[in-house]
Amino acid sequence: MLYNCMTFILPLTRFAMPVTVNTLNAENFRHSVNINNHELFTDLPKSLGGDDSAPSPHDYFDAALASCKALTVRLYAQKKDIPLTGVTVEVTHDSDEEQKGKYKLNVKLTLKGVLTDAQRDELHRVADKCPVHKLMTTAEVTIETKLSEGAFSQ
């Protein structure tokens, strides 16, 4: 198992299970999303012709950051015996300049429990070191898309 630079935070695996997205029917944009043994759904908002029956891909992008921050802070607090009783992470985005390559995420972190100012500051710093935050802000991401071959791809 690989670990990020803060080995006590979240373990990383070298090869993740595939995420598989499948069309559910030809009449709309709703798709199933299968990750390991979990099934989620995605759809487009009504403004783009979808039914808004499930989160959009942008919603999942934002949710990845929020959930990573929440889990990282909780795990860190547990390992350091910080009396955190809960965490709420609210992410909003500004996509006005997305076509220009800019996508702004605003994060509101609420820490619950009887915490000192020093503990709150420490957990705030840890939240910005979560693996997804670092992936979104510092990693060089490459994407290679291959077309499936064979009868099943028709």
Side-chain angles (χ1 to χ4, degrees), residues 42-63:
T42 190
D43 195 359
L44 291 176
K46 290 183 178 184
S47 63
L48 294 176
D51 294 326
D52 199 22
S53 66
S56 73
H58 278 85
D59 296 331
Y60 282 118
F61 184 82
D62 299 355

Side-chain angles (χ1 to χ4, degrees), residues 55-77:
S56 73
H58 278 85
D59 296 331
Y60 282 118
F61 184 82
D62 299 355
L65 179 64
S67 59
C68 187
K69 285 181 179 289
L71 294 170
T72 299
V73 167
R74 287 279 307 196
L75 183 59
Y76 181 89

Side-chain angles (χ1 to χ4, degrees), residues 99-149:
Q99 296 300 318
K100 297 177 186 175
K102 295 180 183 180
Y103 188 76
K104 183 177 181 183
L105 295 170
N106 300 296
V107 179
K108 180 176 158 186
L109 178 68
T110 303
L111 303 171
K112 301 170 186 171
V114 180
L115 305 169
T116 65
D117 288 342
Q119 289 170 327
R120 292 176 57 76
D121 290 343
E122 183 177 1
L123 294 175
H124 184 202
R125 283 191 307 276
V126 166
D128 283 347
K129 293 181 181 177
C130 84
V132 171
H133 182 120
K134 289 174 20 179
L135 180 68
M136 288 178 169
T137 59
T138 63
E140 179 180 327
V141 177
T142 59
I143 300 171
E144 181 180 353
T145 303
K146 296 180 181 180
L147 190 60
S148 296
E149 296 179 14

